[in-house]
Amino acid sequence: MNQLDSTERDDAIIDLAEFNNNEVIEALFNIAKNDQVNRILQASAGEVLTEFWIRNLKIDYKKLTKFTNSALNEALGL
């Protein structure tokens, strides 16, 4: 994956923050828990998921415990 692809994918993940639904949540969770995915993308997915949980006043601890370190660090920073 080249840098442009990574940047575009990161922007797309951030844009998903506008769509708080189960399909988006599962897609982001699959990124946030996957060590094979670019760490920047993991972190962005973790950030967006955590923003959903904060807005909904309900944290999904079961999902949170499965985050990669990159996603978890970003989530805990919010």
Side-chain angles (χ1 to χ4, degrees), residues 7-20 24 28 44 48 51-52 55:
T7 301
E8 289 173 351
R9 290 174 188 217
D10 187 52
D11 290 345
I13 289 170
I14 302 288
D15 290 344
L16 288 174
E18 300 296 319
F19 305 97
N20 186 352
V24 170
L28 291 171
S44 293
V48 172
E51 287 174 359
F52 287 163
R55 276 189 250 152

Side-chain angles (χ1 to χ4, degrees), residues 46-58:
E47 177 182 358
V48 172
L49 275 174
T50 304
E51 287 174 359
F52 287 163
W53 297 335
I54 290 169
R55 276 189 250 152
N56 295 333
L57 301 175
K58 184 178 179 189

Side-chain angles (χ1 to χ4, degrees), residues 14 17 36 45 47 52 59 61-62 66 69-70 73-74:
I14 302 288
Q36 302 302 309
E47 177 182 358
F52 287 163
I59 297 171
Y61 291 102
K62 190 172 185 177
K66 295 183 180 179
N69 287 338
S70 297
N73 287 336
E74 195 68 29

Side-chain angles (χ1 to χ4, degrees), residues 20-68:
N20 186 352
N21 63 56
N22 288 338
E23 186 176 351
V24 170
I25 289 169
E26 286 307 310
L28 291 171
F29 177 57
N30 285 331
I31 295 167
K33 69 178 183 174
N34 188 342
D35 276 323
Q36 302 302 309
V37 173
N38 177 299
R39 286 184 282 171
I40 293 169
L41 303 181
Q42 293 170 23
S44 293
E47 177 182 358
V48 172
L49 275 174
T50 304
E51 287 174 359
F52 287 163
W53 297 335
I54 290 169
R55 276 189 250 152
N56 295 333
L57 301 175
K58 184 178 179 189
I59 297 171
D60 188 332
Y61 291 102
K62 190 172 185 177
K63 281 184 171 49
L64 185 64
T65 61
K66 295 183 180 179
F67 278 12
T68 63

